[in-house]
Amino acid sequence: MRSEAISQEFGITEERAREIIGSETRRALLRRWQAWVWLLVMLGAAAALYVWQPGNAPGAVVIGGGALLVWYQIGRYFADPAVRVAARATSPIHDGRTPHA
């Protein structure tokens, strides 16, 4: 899901597409339990590695950083349908309707 593709598909500006993607991704990250489970489990694993094996601190940092990156991608995945609905609602091409309506 790229802002350029959403912009071209729905006839909105790239700036508006970025705003929609950002807000819907944020909403998906905060509301979906799957994203929270992933983040808590992986950050817990990184913290456990750091506490029980302090010599592996760089590995714990890599696991924690990777957990955050994947958490964001999970949010993007779950936000995709909502992004399309929001873009369609603001689109001058579709006039707030689905293309088949």
Side-chain angles (χ1 to χ4, degrees):
M1 169 177 43
R2 294 188 353 245
S3 61
E4 300 89 20
I6 296 294
S7 172
Q8 289 176 356
E9 183 177 347
F10 294 101
I12 59 177
T13 64
E14 282 191 41
E15 180 180 333
R16 179 67 183 137
R18 281 191 295 272
E19 289 173 8
I20 291 171
I21 291 169
S23 66
E24 295 302 330
T25 300
R26 192 174 316 110
R27 182 176 292 131
L29 285 172
L30 294 175
R31 293 184 178 178
R32 296 301 293 253
W33 66 268
Q34 295 94 337
W36 285 108
V37 167
W38 168 264
L39 186 64
L40 292 176
V41 167
M42 293 309 294
L43 289 180
L49 179 63
Y50 178 75
V51 168
W52 287 319
Q53 295 181 357
N56 283 335
V61 170
V62 168
I63 291 171
L68 288 173
L69 292 173
V70 172
W71 179 64
Y72 183 74
Q73 290 304 315
I74 290 170
R76 293 284 296 254
Y77 173 78
F78 283 130
D80 188 58
V83 166
R84 295 188 179 284
V85 168
R88 186 175 295 127
T90 60
S91 173
I93 293 174
H94 300 301
D95 221 9
R97 298 184 315 251
T98 59
H100 302 331

